[in-house]
Amino acid sequence: MGVILQAEALCKFYGTGTQQVKAVNCVDLEIMQGEFVAIVGKSGSGKSTLLHMLGGLDRPTSGHVRIRGVDIYRPGEDARTVFRRRKIGFVFQAYNLVSSINVWENIVLPLGLDGKKIDEPYVEELIDTLGLRERLYHLPCALSGGQQQRVAIARALVTRPDIVFADEPTGNLDSRTSDEVVTLLKASAQKFGQTLVIITHDEDIAQMADRTILLEDGEVVRL
Amino acid sequence: MGAIKAKRIFLSTFLFWVIVNLALAYPACRSYQEKQQLCALGLGEDPGESIARYLKEGPFFDGEDEKEPLRELGYTDTYVGTLQKQLFFQIFWNALTTGLAGAGLLFLYMYDRNKRRNETEASVQWICDRLAGLKNSMHTGGSCGDSDTLPEDMPQLVRIEEELAQLSDRIGQVYTSARADREETKALVTDISHQLRTPLTALWTSFELLCSGSLSPDEYAEFQNRCAVQMVRLQELTDALLQISRLETGLIELKLQRTPLFDTILTAVNRIYPRAREKEIAVVLEETDAQSAPLMVLHDPRWLSEALINILENAVKYSPDSTQVTITVLQMAVSVRIEIIDQGIGILPEDVNRIFRRFWRGDNARIREENGQGIGLYLARQIIEKHHGTIRVAAQKPQGSRFVIQLPLG
């Protein structure tokens, strides 16, 4: 009840035999709707792999990922369909903005790709929440790191996703801007009723989450 | 709307067909008339002149004169009749094809309308099912799940499906939070009873001793004093609990106003100032990038100052005499960052995640000797989160702690 995302015995192994690397080893976790969860671990602890599997970007070696009870990797199910239907937003460390189009175009890009109409009031509110009003017609290269990440957040939220995954969203930012970006992610998710899953190696960031999941060598140490 | 459009298309196509047929029939009719006239002229009294006139002035259809020679030669019903038959046949043929085409189109139209009606019925059925599922999920509190029954060939339903899924999410969320609130209230009642028990027991013991009457005057004064201490503690505890319960049970909604943040901070500083002065602790307020206009932030001044008071009280309480508490305010792009830095006992790394828990207090002897309920920071976090903000704590070098509060500007 209220569980939006569930991983069951989730594994990802690379290689075979003695060469085998267990990137994610038998992870079970549940994320409640509207929760802000931080997945914390050192680099190489498998947190990115875990996030990619949770978000439908990478097929697990074994185990299940259920979004609202539906297994996204079940045979015959195209994970991308679920993606489109259930709507998942992604924020990456490297922002991944399209450099040749302006901020506004970057924000509404996912809508265009999906052939959806633009929900003007919502997009406007998003732009104001993220303080991008004055930068709308700038190209990404004219923005600071923090600004670029705010554009990326707007782009992730524009489709009104149920779950927002952020993979080291503050990796390239200084500590003050990091605090701000996380606060904004949290505020937006709270405001629009979204579930937020953040990956970070930064304990300071993790403190702001409702719950922390600590990952070590591909296993959950503390829930 | 689709049906009306289809109807229009069918009707206009049919009309177009009729007009094209008429347009084709008209010149055919004319050419037969001309052929008939030419024949008549050729057989007439003065064919040369008549034909010359015909060629010069074009056809003239002025009645029976031209037909007379034809009739005289016995051509009444043969050639002319054949011409007329051809003409009628063509018109008949045109009418037939038009009729057939019309019937075909009508059939297609009916078929389409029927299909549409069936689709609509299926859609309505599907929507009803989904709504029923939604209603059930409201009773059970679960989400109604993903629908696997989405009709394959009805892309317009995907939109509805998405909206319904979102609605169901929302309902689930409301339900979950209501449940969480209830659980929270239960836990709160338990916690409160435990917290009240300790001072109450101490008070009771002292009171019994006082009543026994076997005490020396010194002891008497001592236990009286203990009673007073416990009563103060009870008083503080009930005050704090009252605040928690008001905030937690949602009895208090934040009244968000766009007012100067500085005033709110000042209110908080004024409240802890007497205590700070006792310990000769300097409270320094730094506003970086001092702007001409005061920094306006959407917040509830009363509750936010309460949160700041709680943090500042701790800072003063756990700092040695003659130190400094610094408050810095920094405006970021779309948020404001408040830092409260003290030179007190600091915080252990392993306690960082526990410090904001309700009724949590550090194990440090220095902490234990101060009076406290473990409510202040918990309450501060609750208030700040209600503002959609965040709070975190870090150890400050060489000693002390640093609380970082982030609030969205609005």
Side-chain angles (χ1 to χ4, degrees), chain B residues 118-120 122-123 126 150-159:
Chain B
N118 286 345
E119 269 181 13
T120 313
S123 306
W126 180 84
L150 185 67
E152 284 291 309
D153 50 345
M154 280 184 245
Q156 66 268 41
L157 286 185
V158 173
R159 221 16 243 290

Side-chain angles (χ1 to χ4, degrees), chain B residues 134-204:
Chain B
L134 205 60
K135 208 163 65 188
N136 282 338
S137 78
M138 273 171 80
H139 288 305
T140 59
S143 107
C144 65
D146 239 323
S147 161
D148 290 332
T149 57
L150 185 67
E152 284 291 309
D153 50 345
M154 280 184 245
Q156 66 268 41
L157 286 185
V158 173
R159 221 16 243 290
I160 299 174
E161 156 77 14
E162 281 173 1
E163 294 296 325
L164 280 177
Q166 233 153 31
L167 189 66
S168 125
D169 289 358
R170 219 52 206 186
I171 292 170
Q173 228 166 347
V174 168
Y175 186 88
T176 314
S177 88
R179 232 178 96 95
D181 273 357
R182 214 165 51 212
E183 295 297 314
E184 190 65 36
T185 311
K186 264 193 225 163
L188 189 65
V189 171
T190 317
D191 280 355
I192 289 172
S193 339
H194 279 292
Q195 291 295 318
L196 286 176
R197 179 159 286 165
T198 323
L200 212 56
T201 315
L203 193 61
W204 193 239

